[in-house]
Amino acid sequence: MGDLNHVSLTGRVVRDAELKRKGANLVLCEFSLANNYSKKTGETWSKKANFFKLVVFGKMAEGLHPYLKKGALIGIEAELRQNQWEQEGKKYSSNELIINEVQLLSSPKKSNEAPSSSDYPAEEESFLMDIY
């Protein structure tokens, strides 16, 4: 039996997905997903978020790209992959989720809609921009 590598998540798209073409035959769509969790500190609960880098390939990437807009709620099934590289003598690594299946659970919010209490604070979104 092979090793188990299966991730299921729901969350919101952090920023509009980016469609890329590499070479003649490779199409990929990259985006980030925010996934909420609660953390208790003392007697106080606070809302936190995990941020994940996701990639989808091929025809699925082309078909999903128009729907992967900031704020869209989606469910994914994916595999976790680790990328490793060396640059200027230093070793680096990053993790990303390679999507096998996606379910669109809502549409992204329109720009004229008022934000709800479930939206992510600006500091969490800027944190994501800093790490990618």
Side-chain angles (χ1 to χ4, degrees):
M1 181 171 131
D3 294 338
L4 181 62
N5 184 354
H6 184 88
V7 178
S8 296
L9 293 170
T10 60
R12 295 211 178 262
V13 176
V14 176
R15 62 178 172 267
D16 292 356
E18 187 177 340
L19 190 66
K20 297 180 179 180
R21 298 189 187 278
K22 302 212 177 197
N25 299 321
L26 181 61
V27 177
L28 62 103
C29 185
E30 295 180 323
F31 63 103
S32 297
L33 185 77
N35 171 270
N36 281 341
Y37 68 96
S38 297
K39 182 177 181 180
K40 188 174 183 182
T41 307
E43 294 299 315
T44 307
W45 285 92
S46 59
K47 220 179 193 186
K48 301 287 183 182
N50 293 307
F51 296 96
F52 299 99
K53 182 178 176 184
L54 290 92
V55 180
V56 61
F57 292 96
K59 291 185 187 264
M60 187 186 299
E62 292 176 310
L64 285 170
H65 178 255
Y67 302 100
L68 297 174
K69 301 294 183 191
K70 180 179 178 176
L73 179 64
I74 64 170
I76 62 117
E77 290 190 21
E79 297 174 23
L80 183 61
R81 298 278 172 88
Q82 183 181 42
N83 298 315
Q84 297 176 334
W85 68 96
E86 191 171 318
Q87 187 175 348
E88 298 176 10
K90 289 186 175 181
K91 292 183 180 184
Y92 296 90
S93 70
S94 69
N95 294 318
E96 64 187 4
L97 295 168
I98 307 300
I99 294 176
N100 296 321
E101 292 185 38
V102 175
Q103 290 194 359
L104 302 172
L105 303 173
S106 78
S107 299
K109 293 185 172 139
K110 293 184 176 136
S111 58
N112 61 355
E113 287 184 34
S116 73
S117 61
S118 66
D119 290 337
Y120 297 102
E123 62 270 11
E124 288 181 352
E125 188 172 329
S126 66
F127 168 77
L128 179 64
M129 299 300 191
D130 292 340
I131 62 172
Y132 286 119

